[in-house]
């Protein structure tokens, strides 16, 4: 992602939009700090496909984890062990 100062972005806005339309993302800065991003908009089908792919990656990760052999209650007890009330 390239960065551009807000004053320059204002002067080159049409050019920046052309870049975004071709898939580029742009960070707009003011005094060296990022204040906004110009990013391409994905249509609903692309958004749904991205969400589905993310869920599938999480499920695949879970399938690769070794079983703990612990019950839910044991996991919760271990999580709370050492907490000060």
């Amino acid at each position: 992602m390239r960065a551009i100062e807000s004053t320059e972005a204002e002067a080159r806005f049409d050019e920046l939009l052309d870049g975004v339309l071709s898939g580029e993302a742009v960070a707009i800065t003011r005094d060296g700090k990022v204040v906004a991003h110009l990013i391409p908009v994905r249509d609903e089908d692309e958004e749904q496909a991205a969400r589905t792919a993310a869920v599938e990656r999480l499920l695949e990760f879970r399938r690769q984890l070794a079983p703990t052999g612990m019950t839910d209650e044991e996991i919760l007890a271990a999580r709370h062990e050492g907490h000060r009330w």
Side-chain angles (χ1 to χ4, degrees):
M1 177 183 302
R2 73 174 168 144
I4 186 169
E5 189 64 32
S6 61
T7 53
E8 185 178 354
E10 188 175 2
R12 299 174 52 198
F13 192 68
D14 284 338
E15 178 186 329
L16 293 174
L17 287 180
D18 289 341
V20 170
L21 284 171
S22 64
E24 181 182 11
V26 180
I28 299 175
T29 62
R30 181 181 283 167
D31 299 325
K33 290 185 176 183
V34 176
V35 295
H37 290 121
L38 287 178
I39 58 170
V41 173
R42 293 192 280 192
D43 67 27
E44 280 299 313
D45 291 337
E46 289 174 336
E47 288 291 331
Q48 183 60 43
R51 286 191 291 272
T52 300
V55 168
E56 285 301 319
R57 287 191 303 273
L58 286 170
L59 291 174
E60 180 58 30
F61 174 74
R62 285 189 66 192
R63 284 190 285 273
Q64 293 175 7
L65 295 175
T68 64
M70 297 173 71
T71 66
D72 292 344
E73 291 79 19
E74 291 170 326
I75 292 171
L76 291 174
R79 183 182 72 176
H80 292 295
E81 189 173 310
H83 285 196
R84 294 183 185 200
W85 303 96

